[in-house]
Amino acid sequence: MKLAQFKTDESAEQRLGVLVGDRVYDVAKLARALKESGAGPPSWLLQTNRTQDVINRGESAIRDIEALLDDIQVGTALPLDSIEFLPAVYPGKILAIGRNYVDHAIEGGAAPPEAPLLFNKLTSSLNAHNAPIVLPTISARVDYEAELAVVIGSKAKRVSEAEARRHIFGYTLINDVSARDLQFGDVQWTRGKGLDTFAPLGPFVTTRDEIKDVQALKIEGRLNGEVMQSSNTGKMIFQVAYLVSYLSQGMTLEPGDVIATGTPEGVGVFRDPPRLLKAGDVFEVEIEGLGTLRNPVVTEKE
């Protein structure tokens, strides 16, 4: 199942959608229509408008939505180009992993890390599919990073690697946009990684049952249609289950939290010559089975 948060031209109210084919169905609208027809969907579905509602309820919520789709004729489908996507989830925290692909560490002149290199992306940097990445006036070297993002489904504290999977709700895409001059100049990475619009997330959260092997997914980053990054999640140094377990040893992972798992080689700053983002560019992250995250690039004035 693929879930999205979105708005429409008709209403600025946030809505929760489920993807069927190439169209999105408003979950609450489906539930209300079904109720009007005489059926009795679970009451929580009638007002739900957040991915977090589904995450909090777990597998039973997924079954409730699947039951709605059995009567899909009672709802109106929305074409993808008719909705305004919002971030696929609003996490309490975004934990990110640096240099988690060997070739990316090497291209930056660093040795592969012996333990996960952890930093934070600020929740105020959240952005959405099709929304612009804004080039800040305080940076002249803004870069892209295509990454797999893990969405936590249930509270995880000191869980083992074997237990980690059951604490995962699903997966989505993230672009770890980075102001390289600030990142390298500040020494620590919070400002360079956490500026406004620097965490596009989405367009969908794909539930974990749809992904047979999260460590066997093709991942690609494209700048104006040209492939800049092409790899596979199997090349991660620290794989998804290990990261969930590792992080949970010292901090509680809460439902809805996001882990950005690192980017493969091909980022712009280490190319010769560098290929950094500029106004008018479009960057896309595509991951097998999860979809494509697309963002145009604009200046602050625009």
Side-chain angles (χ1 to χ4, degrees), residues 194-239:
L195 299 180
D196 292 350
T197 75
F198 273 28
L201 186 73
F204 303 99
V205 174
T206 301
T207 52
R208 73 167 192 255
D209 59 289
E210 285 203 4
I211 304 302
K212 183 178 180 180
D213 184 356
V214 72
Q215 302 298 167
L217 305 179
K218 181 179 179 182
I219 179 171
E220 192 168 275
R222 297 187 294 268
L223 180 59
N224 302 325
E226 181 182 354
V227 176
M228 297 285 105
Q229 299 178 275
S230 182
S231 189
N232 189 284
T233 57
K235 294 185 177 182
M236 288 181 186
I237 300 170
F238 306 106
Q239 298 195 337

Short mmCIF file of all heavy atoms in Angstrom, two decimals, residues 194-239:
data_model
loop_
_atom_site.label_atom_id
_atom_site.label_comp_id
_atom_site.label_asym_id
_atom_site.label_seq_id
_atom_site.Cartn_x
_atom_site.Cartn_y
_atom_site.Cartn_z
N GLY A 194 20.20 21.33 7.31
CA GLY A 194 18.89 21.57 7.91
C GLY A 194 18.19 22.84 7.49
O GLY A 194 17.23 23.27 8.15
N LEU A 195 18.61 23.45 6.38
CA LEU A 195 17.95 24.68 5.94
C LEU A 195 16.55 24.40 5.40
O LEU A 195 16.22 23.27 5.03
CB LEU A 195 18.81 25.37 4.89
CG LEU A 195 20.21 25.79 5.34
CD1 LEU A 195 20.96 26.47 4.19
CD2 LEU A 195 20.17 26.70 6.56
N ASP A 196 15.75 25.43 5.36
CA ASP A 196 14.37 25.29 4.88
C ASP A 196 14.34 24.67 3.48
O ASP A 196 15.16 25.04 2.62
CB ASP A 196 13.69 26.67 4.83
CG ASP A 196 13.45 27.25 6.22
OD1 ASP A 196 13.65 26.53 7.22
OD2 ASP A 196 13.08 28.44 6.30
N THR A 197 13.43 23.76 3.28
CA THR A 197 13.15 23.01 2.04
C THR A 197 14.18 21.93 1.74
O THR A 197 14.12 21.29 0.70
CB THR A 197 13.01 23.92 0.79
OG1 THR A 197 14.30 24.39 0.36
CG2 THR A 197 12.08 25.09 1.05
N PHE A 198 15.15 21.68 2.64
CA PHE A 198 16.26 20.78 2.35
C PHE A 198 15.97 19.31 2.66
O PHE A 198 16.90 18.49 2.61
CB PHE A 198 17.51 21.23 3.12
CG PHE A 198 18.35 22.25 2.40
CD1 PHE A 198 17.80 23.13 1.50
CD2 PHE A 198 19.72 22.34 2.64
CE1 PHE A 198 18.56 24.08 0.84
CE2 PHE A 198 20.51 23.27 1.97
CZ PHE A 198 19.93 24.15 1.07
N ALA A 199 14.71 18.97 2.92
CA ALA A 199 14.38 17.56 3.16
C ALA A 199 13.10 17.15 2.42
O ALA A 199 12.09 16.82 3.03
CB ALA A 199 14.23 17.27 4.65
N PRO A 200 13.13 17.18 1.07
CA PRO A 200 11.98 16.65 0.34
C PRO A 200 11.75 15.18 0.71
O PRO A 200 12.70 14.38 0.71
CB PRO A 200 12.40 16.80 -1.13
CG PRO A 200 13.45 17.86 -1.12
CD PRO A 200 14.18 17.68 0.17
N LEU A 201 10.50 14.83 1.01
CA LEU A 201 10.17 13.49 1.51
C LEU A 201 8.88 13.02 0.85
O LEU A 201 7.84 13.65 0.97
CB LEU A 201 10.00 13.55 3.03
CG LEU A 201 9.79 12.24 3.77
CD1 LEU A 201 11.10 11.45 3.83
CD2 LEU A 201 9.28 12.50 5.19
N GLY A 202 8.93 11.89 0.14
CA GLY A 202 7.71 11.38 -0.49
C GLY A 202 8.02 10.79 -1.86
O GLY A 202 9.14 10.42 -2.14
N PRO A 203 7.03 10.75 -2.76
CA PRO A 203 5.67 11.26 -2.56
C PRO A 203 4.79 10.35 -1.69
O PRO A 203 3.82 10.79 -1.10
CB PRO A 203 5.11 11.36 -3.98
CG PRO A 203 5.89 10.34 -4.75
CD PRO A 203 7.26 10.32 -4.15
N PHE A 204 5.17 9.05 -1.62
CA PHE A 204 4.36 8.08 -0.89
C PHE A 204 5.18 7.39 0.19
O PHE A 204 6.40 7.28 0.07
CB PHE A 204 3.83 6.99 -1.84
CG PHE A 204 3.02 7.52 -2.98
CD1 PHE A 204 3.60 7.68 -4.24
CD2 PHE A 204 1.69 7.85 -2.81
CE1 PHE A 204 2.86 8.17 -5.30
CE2 PHE A 204 0.94 8.35 -3.88
CZ PHE A 204 1.53 8.51 -5.12
N VAL A 205 4.51 6.93 1.23
CA VAL A 205 5.07 5.93 2.13
C VAL A 205 4.55 4.58 1.67
O VAL A 205 3.34 4.36 1.60
CB VAL A 205 4.67 6.17 3.59
CG1 VAL A 205 5.18 5.02 4.47
CG2 VAL A 205 5.23 7.49 4.10
N THR A 206 5.46 3.68 1.32
CA THR A 206 5.11 2.33 0.89
C THR A 206 5.23 1.40 2.08
O THR A 206 6.30 1.34 2.71
CB THR A 206 6.03 1.86 -0.24
OG1 THR A 206 5.92 2.77 -1.34
CG2 THR A 206 5.67 0.45 -0.70
N THR A 207 4.16 0.70 2.42
CA THR A 207 4.19 -0.17 3.59
C THR A 207 5.18 -1.32 3.37
O THR A 207 5.40 -1.76 2.25
CB THR A 207 2.80 -0.73 3.89
OG1 THR A 207 2.25 -1.32 2.71
CG2 THR A 207 1.87 0.38 4.37
N ARG A 208 5.79 -1.78 4.45
CA ARG A 208 6.90 -2.71 4.35
C ARG A 208 6.52 -4.04 3.70
O ARG A 208 7.37 -4.70 3.11
CB ARG A 208 7.53 -2.96 5.73
CG ARG A 208 6.72 -3.81 6.67
CD ARG A 208 7.56 -4.27 7.87
NE ARG A 208 6.85 -5.30 8.61
CZ ARG A 208 6.26 -5.11 9.78
NH1 ARG A 208 6.28 -3.92 10.34
NH2 ARG A 208 5.64 -6.11 10.38
N ASP A 209 5.24 -4.42 3.77
CA ASP A 209 4.83 -5.70 3.19
C ASP A 209 4.97 -5.71 1.67
O ASP A 209 5.03 -6.78 1.06
CB ASP A 209 3.38 -6.01 3.57
CG ASP A 209 2.41 -4.93 3.11
OD1 ASP A 209 2.45 -3.83 3.69
OD2 ASP A 209 1.63 -5.18 2.17
N GLU A 210 5.03 -4.52 1.04
CA GLU A 210 5.15 -4.45 -0.41
C GLU A 210 6.59 -4.60 -0.90
O GLU A 210 6.82 -4.79 -2.09
CB GLU A 210 4.58 -3.12 -0.93
CG GLU A 210 3.07 -3.06 -0.94
CD GLU A 210 2.54 -2.03 -1.91
OE1 GLU A 210 3.35 -1.41 -2.64
OE2 GLU A 210 1.32 -1.85 -1.95
N ILE A 211 7.53 -4.50 0.02
CA ILE A 211 8.95 -4.54 -0.35
C ILE A 211 9.54 -5.86 0.14
O ILE A 211 9.76 -6.04 1.35
CB ILE A 211 9.71 -3.35 0.22
CG1 ILE A 211 9.06 -2.03 -0.23
CG2 ILE A 211 11.17 -3.40 -0.19
CD1 ILE A 211 8.98 -1.85 -1.73
N LYS A 212 9.79 -6.75 -0.78
CA LYS A 212 10.28 -8.08 -0.42
C LYS A 212 11.66 -8.02 0.21
O LYS A 212 11.92 -8.69 1.22
CB LYS A 212 10.31 -8.98 -1.67
CG LYS A 212 10.74 -10.41 -1.39
CD LYS A 212 10.69 -11.25 -2.66
CE LYS A 212 11.14 -12.68 -2.39
NZ LYS A 212 11.10 -13.51 -3.63
N ASP A 213 12.56 -7.23 -0.36
CA ASP A 213 13.92 -7.13 0.15
C ASP A 213 14.38 -5.69 0.02
O ASP A 213 14.73 -5.24 -1.08
CB ASP A 213 14.86 -8.07 -0.60
CG ASP A 213 16.28 -8.07 -0.04
OD1 ASP A 213 16.55 -7.30 0.90
OD2 ASP A 213 17.11 -8.86 -0.55
N VAL A 214 14.39 -4.97 1.14
CA VAL A 214 14.75 -3.56 1.09
C VAL A 214 16.23 -3.37 0.76
O VAL A 214 16.64 -2.26 0.38
CB VAL A 214 14.39 -2.87 2.43
CG1 VAL A 214 15.34 -3.30 3.55
CG2 VAL A 214 14.37 -1.36 2.28
N GLN A 215 17.02 -4.42 0.86
CA GLN A 215 18.44 -4.33 0.54
C GLN A 215 18.73 -4.81 -0.88
O GLN A 215 19.85 -5.22 -1.18
CB GLN A 215 19.27 -5.12 1.55
CG GLN A 215 19.10 -4.68 2.99
CD GLN A 215 19.53 -3.25 3.28
OE1 GLN A 215 19.22 -2.72 4.34
NE2 GLN A 215 20.23 -2.61 2.35
N ALA A 216 17.75 -4.72 -1.75
CA ALA A 216 17.96 -5.12 -3.14
C ALA A 216 17.21 -4.19 -4.08
O ALA A 216 16.65 -4.63 -5.09
CB ALA A 216 17.51 -6.56 -3.34
N LEU A 217 17.21 -2.88 -3.77
CA LEU A 217 16.45 -1.92 -4.55
C LEU A 217 17.38 -1.00 -5.33
O LEU A 217 18.34 -0.44 -4.78
CB LEU A 217 15.56 -1.06 -3.64
CG LEU A 217 14.60 -1.80 -2.70
CD1 LEU A 217 13.83 -0.80 -1.85
CD2 LEU A 217 13.65 -2.68 -3.50
N LYS A 218 17.09 -0.84 -6.61
CA LYS A 218 17.86 0.12 -7.41
C LYS A 218 17.52 1.53 -6.94
O LYS A 218 16.36 1.87 -6.71
CB LYS A 218 17.52 -0.04 -8.89
CG LYS A 218 18.29 0.92 -9.79
CD LYS A 218 17.95 0.72 -11.26
CE LYS A 218 18.73 1.69 -12.13
NZ LYS A 218 18.39 1.55 -13.57
N ILE A 219 18.55 2.36 -6.79
CA ILE A 219 18.37 3.75 -6.39
C ILE A 219 19.08 4.64 -7.40
O ILE A 219 20.21 4.36 -7.81
CB ILE A 219 18.87 4.00 -4.95
CG1 ILE A 219 18.71 5.47 -4.56
CG2 ILE A 219 20.30 3.52 -4.76
CD1 ILE A 219 18.97 5.74 -3.09
N GLU A 220 18.38 5.72 -7.79
CA GLU A 220 18.92 6.58 -8.85
C GLU A 220 18.63 8.03 -8.52
O GLU A 220 17.54 8.37 -8.02
CB GLU A 220 18.30 6.19 -10.19
CG GLU A 220 18.96 6.80 -11.40
CD GLU A 220 18.47 6.14 -12.69
OE1 GLU A 220 19.04 5.10 -13.08
OE2 GLU A 220 17.53 6.68 -13.30
N GLY A 221 19.59 8.91 -8.80
CA GLY A 221 19.39 10.35 -8.71
C GLY A 221 19.64 10.98 -10.05
O GLY A 221 20.67 10.72 -10.69
N ARG A 222 18.71 11.81 -10.52
CA ARG A 222 18.81 12.41 -11.85
C ARG A 222 18.71 13.93 -11.77
O ARG A 222 17.82 14.47 -11.12
CB ARG A 222 17.70 11.88 -12.77
CG ARG A 222 17.78 10.39 -13.02
CD ARG A 222 16.76 9.96 -14.07
NE ARG A 222 15.39 10.13 -13.61
CZ ARG A 222 14.68 9.19 -12.99
NH1 ARG A 222 15.22 8.00 -12.74
NH2 ARG A 222 13.44 9.42 -12.63
N LEU A 223 19.64 14.60 -12.45
CA LEU A 223 19.64 16.06 -12.52
C LEU A 223 19.26 16.45 -13.94
O LEU A 223 19.98 16.15 -14.90
CB LEU A 223 21.03 16.60 -12.16
CG LEU A 223 21.21 18.11 -12.20
CD1 LEU A 223 20.26 18.81 -11.24
CD2 LEU A 223 22.65 18.48 -11.90
N ASN A 224 18.10 17.08 -14.07
CA ASN A 224 17.58 17.48 -15.39
C ASN A 224 17.54 16.29 -16.35
O ASN A 224 17.84 16.41 -17.53
CB ASN A 224 18.43 18.62 -15.97
CG ASN A 224 18.46 19.83 -15.06
OD1 ASN A 224 17.48 20.15 -14.39
ND2 ASN A 224 19.60 20.51 -15.02
N GLY A 225 17.18 15.14 -15.80
CA GLY A 225 17.05 13.93 -16.60
C GLY A 225 18.32 13.14 -16.78
O GLY A 225 18.29 12.00 -17.25
N GLU A 226 19.46 13.69 -16.41
CA GLU A 226 20.74 13.00 -16.55
C GLU A 226 21.04 12.23 -15.27
O GLU A 226 20.98 12.78 -14.16
CB GLU A 226 21.85 14.01 -16.82
CG GLU A 226 23.23 13.38 -16.99
CD GLU A 226 24.33 14.39 -17.21
OE1 GLU A 226 24.01 15.60 -17.34
OE2 GLU A 226 25.51 13.99 -17.24
N VAL A 227 21.40 10.97 -15.41
CA VAL A 227 21.68 10.13 -14.25
C VAL A 227 22.98 10.57 -13.59
O VAL A 227 24.04 10.56 -14.20
CB VAL A 227 21.76 8.64 -14.63
CG1 VAL A 227 22.15 7.80 -13.42
CG2 VAL A 227 20.41 8.16 -15.18
N MET A 228 22.88 10.98 -12.33
CA MET A 228 24.04 11.39 -11.55
C MET A 228 24.45 10.29 -10.56
O MET A 228 25.63 10.10 -10.28
CB MET A 228 23.73 12.67 -10.75
CG MET A 228 23.40 13.89 -11.59
SD MET A 228 24.89 14.63 -12.34
CE MET A 228 24.68 14.09 -14.03
N GLN A 229 23.46 9.61 -10.01
CA GLN A 229 23.69 8.56 -9.03
C GLN A 229 22.94 7.31 -9.47
O GLN A 229 21.76 7.38 -9.82
CB GLN A 229 23.19 8.99 -7.65
CG GLN A 229 23.87 10.21 -7.09
CD GLN A 229 23.30 10.62 -5.73
OE1 GLN A 229 22.30 11.32 -5.67
NE2 GLN A 229 23.94 10.16 -4.66
N SER A 230 23.61 6.18 -9.45
CA SER A 230 22.98 4.91 -9.81
C SER A 230 23.63 3.81 -9.00
O SER A 230 24.82 3.55 -9.14
CB SER A 230 23.12 4.63 -11.31
OG SER A 230 22.46 3.43 -11.65
N SER A 231 22.85 3.20 -8.12
CA SER A 231 23.41 2.20 -7.22
C SER A 231 22.30 1.26 -6.79
O SER A 231 21.25 1.18 -7.41
CB SER A 231 24.08 2.89 -6.02
OG SER A 231 24.81 1.97 -5.25
N ASN A 232 22.55 0.55 -5.71
CA ASN A 232 21.59 -0.41 -5.17
C ASN A 232 21.69 -0.37 -3.65
O ASN A 232 22.79 -0.24 -3.10
CB ASN A 232 21.90 -1.82 -5.69
CG ASN A 232 20.81 -2.81 -5.36
OD1 ASN A 232 20.70 -3.26 -4.22
ND2 ASN A 232 20.02 -3.16 -6.35
N THR A 233 20.57 -0.48 -2.98
CA THR A 233 20.57 -0.41 -1.52
C THR A 233 21.34 -1.57 -0.89
O THR A 233 21.71 -1.51 0.29
CB THR A 233 19.14 -0.40 -0.96
OG1 THR A 233 18.44 -1.57 -1.42
CG2 THR A 233 18.39 0.85 -1.42
N GLY A 234 21.61 -2.61 -1.67
CA GLY A 234 22.44 -3.71 -1.18
C GLY A 234 23.87 -3.30 -0.92
O GLY A 234 24.63 -4.03 -0.27
N LYS A 235 24.26 -2.12 -1.43
CA LYS A 235 25.63 -1.64 -1.24
C LYS A 235 25.81 -0.81 0.02
O LYS A 235 26.91 -0.28 0.26
CB LYS A 235 26.07 -0.83 -2.46
CG LYS A 235 26.18 -1.67 -3.74
CD LYS A 235 26.73 -0.84 -4.89
CE LYS A 235 26.91 -1.68 -6.15
NZ LYS A 235 27.50 -0.89 -7.26
N MET A 236 24.77 -0.70 0.82
CA MET A 236 24.92 0.02 2.09
C MET A 236 25.95 -0.67 2.97
O MET A 236 26.00 -1.90 3.05
CB MET A 236 23.59 0.06 2.85
CG MET A 236 22.53 0.96 2.28
SD MET A 236 21.05 0.89 3.33
CE MET A 236 19.93 1.86 2.33
N ILE A 237 26.76 0.13 3.65
CA ILE A 237 27.69 -0.43 4.62
C ILE A 237 26.93 -0.96 5.83
O ILE A 237 27.14 -2.09 6.27
CB ILE A 237 28.71 0.65 5.06
CG1 ILE A 237 29.51 1.16 3.87
CG2 ILE A 237 29.65 0.09 6.14
CD1 ILE A 237 30.36 2.38 4.18
N PHE A 238 26.03 -0.13 6.36
CA PHE A 238 25.19 -0.51 7.49
C PHE A 238 23.76 -0.62 6.98
O PHE A 238 23.17 0.38 6.57
CB PHE A 238 25.30 0.52 8.62
CG PHE A 238 26.72 0.77 9.05
CD1 PHE A 238 27.37 1.94 8.69
CD2 PHE A 238 27.41 -0.18 9.77
CE1 PHE A 238 28.68 2.17 9.07
CE2 PHE A 238 28.73 0.04 10.16
CZ PHE A 238 29.37 1.21 9.81
N GLN A 239 23.22 -1.83 7.00
CA GLN A 239 21.93 -2.06 6.38
C GLN A 239 20.79 -1.63 7.30
O GLN A 239 21.00 -1.28 8.47
CB GLN A 239 21.83 -3.51 5.94
CG GLN A 239 22.90 -3.85 4.89
CD GLN A 239 22.64 -5.15 4.16
OE1 GLN A 239 21.95 -6.04 4.64
NE2 GLN A 239 23.21 -5.27 2.97
#
